[in-house]
Amino acid sequence: MAKQDFYEILGISKSATKAEIKKAYRKMAIKYHPDKNPGDTTAEENFKKAAEAYEILSDENKKARYDQYGHAAFDGPQGGGGFGGGGMNMDDIFSQFGDIFGGGGFGGFGSGGGHRQARVKGSNMRIRVKLTLEEIAKGVEKKVKVRRKVQASGVKYKTCTTCNGSGQVMRVTNTILGRMQTATTCSTCSGAGEIISSKPNGADAQGMVVKEETVPINIPAGVTEGVQLKVGGKGNDAPGKNSISGDLLVLIEEVPHETLKREGTNIHYDLYVNFSEAVLGTSKEVETVTGKVKIKIEPGTQSGKILRLKGKGLPSIERYGTGDFLIHTNVWTPQELNKEQKQFFEKMLDDDNFSPNPNKSDKSFFEKVKDMFS
Ligand SMILES: [Zn+2]
């Protein structure tokens, strides 16, 4: 079906100025506004058409494209402003009105559009979930008990007679554009469009009861302290047949680990070996977040040496790889010696094998730390 010319829709000529375009649209918007034409689908169609025409003609770039190519400029996948698929929605249109009617100085047109059915949403609930590093490493399903407000079984609702179910009441006001209807939230039903006709014992004034429910929460691997997850529909319900449930917002807390330190997706671990182990070499078992790993300590290992276990850290929540597990080697120097030991070390004081000789090819401790953070 051929689309009607935008200039024709607004009843203006191609040479119309910006001010003339705006004025013409104001006229159309008032004439066809849904609040003034309840239930009139032709008026609504005209209202949408005018909004679409104004959206294009009020924008210099879009207007230039329209003048050159006509409707073809906005059709197809490259279509500007998303109009290819058939018109604007009401929210888009009402959001233009601040501009058209001068910053909300008019009580005339709310963004609600009284013709639409109100949907009341229940309130959100918030909980905190504590996770260990091990749980964060693999992801986990947590079952939490929540006390939600739900509609009592057996509660019955009926259409609100004050607003006839629309959730809004009309008020006629006089403005410089003439008499206008203003939509305000119905005070009888608080906008729900429904009121209680009967409720069982134990339900509150809105027909709600508190119910304890176990909600499974799937927590993806790699979450961090302060991340908030949303479980849709597991907050409080709202009264009424048309209501929608609130959400359950889950705030992640990280339990500090006894031996591991998290740094983004990397994990740091301080390994202590005794003097003899550092001299002679040994193997050690290290507990990572995903299980035990056996590592080899080479003979002659220096304090500060860092062993990097690639991919044994935490996965990134954005799914770009997994961090590393970094083992910082600390050589424990004995603090007490018996007579025999003391004599041994005294003998070694001037021994060449005991004199520090940092190998040029072996990076110093600080260079390694720099590497790690770069
Ligand atoms: Zn009502």
Side-chain angles (χ1 to χ4, degrees), residues 159-169 185-195:
T159 303
C160 171
T161 48
T162 308
C163 63
N164 286 320
S166 71
Q168 293 186 316
V169 286
T185 302
C186 172
S187 59
T188 308
C189 63
S190 308
E194 298 166 279
I195 53 168

Side-chain angles (χ1 to χ4, degrees), residues 144-148 150 211-216 233-234 237:
V144 295
K145 274 193 182 151
V146 292
R147 290 169 57 78
R148 310 175 53 217
V150 297
K211 188 182 143 206
E212 190 173 88
E213 199 175 311
T214 302
V215 178
K234 287 297 177 186
D237 289 347

